[in-house]
Structures are given as C-alpha cells and as structure tokens.
Amino acid sequence: MTSTSINRDRSLDGLRGIAAFSVVIFHFLSAYCPALIPREGFSSCWIADTPIAILWNGHFAVAIFFVLSGYVLALSCRRKTVSFIQLVAKRVLRLAIPATISLVFAWSLLVVFSPSLAELRFISDARWLEYTTIDPPSFIPAIVLGAVDVFRGGHSDLNNVLWTMKIELIGSIMIYLIYCFVPTRFRIRALVCPLMLAAFKPAYIAFPLGALICEARASKFEPKAGTATVEIGFAIGLLLGGLYPGVGERVFSAAIIDRAGFGAPNGVISVCAAALVVTAVAFSHHLKRLFSSRIPVWLGDISFPLYLVHVPIICTIGAAVYVHYLNTFTAAAIVLALSLSIAQVFRLLVDDPLLRVLRRFGQNPIPSTVTTAFPN
C-alpha cells in the first residue's frame, strides 16, 4: 500500500479552512437573512444569483470538503501500511467521538435556549431553522440514539450539519477498500469505477476524484500549459460551484438548466466544480501562496471543530441575541466570535488529544499534521 510519498500541502489546509468559514456564513444567513439563500426563505435576493454568492455557498463548500477528504485519505494510505479493519475502526472513532461530543454541546445549549429558537422561528421566515428541534429529548436518548442516527440515517435534529458523517464514513471505506485490496497497477482504474455512481449518489464520487488528484501529484504530473491552465479551471470551478438550486428558472427562465443539476447540493456539477478548485490549489504556485497564508491555515486547523459547533451556537445563543436586540450584525459578531473561540478550545481539548490516542494503537493511518480534509 506504500508508494511514492508526497509532501504535505498546507495550501489545501487553507482551502479547507476557507470552505469551513463559508459554511458558517451560509448557515448564519440561512437563519437570519434567508433571502440570500434561495429556497431557504419565502423570497430571494438577486445577489444570491451573482458570482459573489460563492462567498457563502455552503453546498459547494461541502463538495470541496468531500473532494479534499478523498485526497488526504489517499495520501495517508500511500504513506502507511495498515490493515483495512484498523483503518475503518480508527475512522469510525475519528468521526464518531467528536460528533457525539458536539451532540452533547448542542443538547446543552438547546435545553437553555430552546425558547429563543422557538421565538425566532415564529418571527422569521427561515425554513432552515426548522431542521433543529425546539423540544430536545432527555439526555441519554438524545446522545445515544442521536449518535447512531447520524451514521445510520444521516441526520440530526440537534446538530443538523452531522448529515455529512454518513457520507464521510462510506466515502472513506470506499477509498480504504481500493487502497488495501487493489494492486497498485490497477489502482487508477479502480478509482475511476466509482465515478459511475454519478447519476445515483453524486456526493460519493467526490472521494475517488480527490484520490485521483492525489495520484496525479504523486506521479509528478504537471499541466502542459503551465499553472495558467489550472487557474482557469479554478475560476470555472468557482463560477459553476457558486450557483444555487433553481438558478436557471430565476435568472434565465429556463428550467432545463436546473434539470442539468446546476446548483444542486452535492450534485454532479458541484462535485466536479469542487474537484477543479482542489486541483487548481494542488498544482498552482500562485494559489498555493494564497491559501497557505496564516489565517486560512489557522481556519483549516480548526475546521472540523468549527463545523461541529457553529450551528448549535447559531440556533441558540445567536437566536437569543437576535430576539433580544433584533440586530443581525450584533448576532453575527457574537456567533462568529463564539464559534471561532469554542472551535479552538474544542481542538485543544478534543481533537488533538483524540489524534494522539489513536496514534498509540498501531500505525496511524492518518498523519498527525494532516488529518482528513473534511472532517478534520
């Protein structure tokens, strides 16, 4: 399972961090400015169908996370010789333990602030708020059954972002199966085969696409036309990935555009656009410098904790602030400050210690400094 090694690329950490931050903005706007998120409110603002909307397109950010996961999982498999069972067991723990702790965090906040969420839902037309319960169950059922439902059903009404955990686990197992059981000379073909799932489960093709990008880097592939080619691909990826569902009907009065999947959450076009963006950052020296700067890399280091804690804060403390002050900017400032601060604490108290513990059980399939791209 070992092969040519690839040096760690901090620019991909930075890309992951920027994507995670855009998910926070996406969910905040879904709760407090739903007109900027088409189909989350009863009306939509024209700016949501302009290229600037890429800054808060959470659907596209999640597609980037999945592609990055495929990339980094493939990278970790190339670096380590570990059994399939050990890989899967550690992956389950890596996802399940932080997810379960996030459920405890979410439940605790909802017990205190659920009246504020209920009031916000009453005065707001944000459909997204309905994904979080205002009547949390007792503690044990909430956490135990909640943690199981996250991986079995792919949903949680305590922390709605956990729907990605099921996709992450299945996508990870897909990559592990290929790298553990397929001979190296057939690996590329094996990674291409899952792309046939595009018509049925588009989100899952992100993982082999990410692994193929990793293989291209390992083979010392360089674009024939230089980095300008991949930078154009980066722009195209952003343009296609920034679209929201229904853009064809809203902008062009052509529903056929929507049938093609433009803007569909985790649709084929979004996933392929995400692969273009990841490829560009992996191969462009200019983009590497941009995404490897201090702030994006720090956001990348806290990206998994940030992803796990921001929705409970938006739906509880943020709701209380908004209901009390009726000021979106005040709520935004408090939500962002708390989300970033608590994510950093989560990283120090949960994320880093968990990685150290997992490394003690045989060889670690995931390098300590390069955890999976999404979740971290």
Side-chain angles (χ1 to χ4, degrees):
M1 191 160 58
T2 58
S3 184
T4 306
S5 64
I6 315 172
N7 292 329
R8 180 185 181 189
D9 192 340
R10 288 294 271 168
S11 63
L12 295 180
D13 292 339
L15 174 62
R16 181 185 67 218
I18 295 298
F21 190 77
S22 77
V23 169
V24 178
I25 302 302
F26 170 76
H27 285 141
F28 181 85
L29 295 177
S30 295
Y32 300 99
C33 303
L36 293 175
I37 313 293
R39 298 189 177 180
E40 289 297 345
F42 293 99
S43 61
S44 61
C45 179
W46 62 269
I47 198 172
D49 289 317
T50 66
I52 196 174
I54 187 64
L55 297 175
W56 63 84
N57 193 315
H59 302 318
F60 183 53
V62 168
I64 289 177
F65 295 153
F66 290 152
V67 174
L68 283 170
S69 281
Y71 179 99
V72 184
L73 288 168
L75 176 61
S76 68
C77 287
R78 295 178 65 90
R79 288 177 169 176
K80 299 290 183 179
T81 303
V82 152
S83 72
F84 174 76
I85 298 299
Q86 187 179 23
L87 283 167
V88 174
K90 289 187 175 184
R91 185 62 172 151
V92 169
L93 293 173
R94 182 68 186 97
L95 296 173
I97 292 176
T100 302
I101 293 174
S102 80
L103 288 173
V104 174
F105 176 70
W107 181 89
S108 302
L109 290 181
L110 281 168
V111 167
V112 177
F113 293 101
S114 58
S116 296
L117 176 58
E119 187 172 350
L120 179 61
R121 284 170 58 170
F122 179 76
I123 65 176
S124 170
D125 65 349
R127 294 189 179 98
W128 179 81
L129 293 170
E130 297 175 3
Y131 302 148
T132 300
T133 181
I134 57 175
D135 186 22
S138 57
F139 181 74
I140 298 300
I143 306 307
V144 176
L145 296 180
V148 172
D149 285 341
V150 163
F151 292 97
R152 182 182 60 186
H155 66 86
S156 171
D157 59 1
L158 292 178
N159 190 1
N160 64 57
V161 297
L162 296 182
W163 66 269
T164 58
M165 297 298 103
K166 180 180 178 180
I167 296 175
E168 273 288 334
L169 182 58
I170 294 175
S172 301
I173 292 173
M174 181 191 308
I175 297 299
Y176 291 154
L177 283 170
I178 292 172
Y179 277 82
C180 287
F181 299 113
V182 176
T184 303
R185 64 182 181 276
F186 298 124
R187 184 180 293 160
I188 301 300
R189 299 176 194 174
L191 289 170
V192 171
C193 288
L195 300 183
M196 292 185 291
L197 293 170
F200 307 101
K201 296 290 185 180
Y204 290 108
I205 72 171
F207 296 86
L209 284 174
L212 287 169
I213 297 170
C214 178
E215 292 295 327
R217 289 204 66 200
S219 67
K220 307 298 183 182
F221 170 80
E222 290 290 341
K224 292 182 179 179
T227 58
T229 303
V230 293
E231 288 167 4
I232 292 173
F234 180 80
I236 294 173
L238 292 182
L239 183 62
L240 294 178
L243 301 174
Y244 277 98
V247 62
E249 185 176 355
R250 289 192 304 273
V251 178
F252 304 104
S253 299
I256 191 172
I257 294 177
D258 299 320
R259 294 193 192 102
F262 286 94
N266 302 312
V268 175
I269 292 175
S270 292
V271 171
C272 292
L276 283 175
V277 169
V278 174
T279 300
V281 176
F283 286 96
S284 167
H285 300 299
H286 299 102
L287 292 173
K288 282 183 185 298
R289 285 197 296 271
L290 175 65
F291 285 97
S292 60
S293 55
R294 178 177 296 182
I295 293 178
V297 168
W298 175 69
L299 289 172
D301 290 339
I302 65 167
S303 59
F304 189 24
L306 181 61
Y307 181 79
L308 293 177
V309 305
H310 76 276
V311 164
I313 294 171
I314 289 172
C315 292
T316 57
I317 299 174
V321 171
Y322 183 83
V323 166
H324 183 73
Y325 293 104
L326 292 178
N327 188 303
T328 303
F329 293 103
T330 301
I334 291 176
V335 165
L336 287 177
L338 284 176
S339 296
L340 293 170
S341 301
I342 294 174
Q344 178 67 19
V345 173
F346 194 108
R347 177 196 175 195
L348 296 175
L349 298 183
V350 177
D351 229 34
D352 290 347
L354 176 61
L355 287 173
R356 288 195 293 268
V357 170
L358 290 178
R359 283 198 298 273
R360 295 174 184 171
F361 295 93
Q363 289 180 290
N364 178 31
I366 303 173
S368 60
T369 54
V370 187
T371 53
T372 55
F374 178 77
N376 187 25

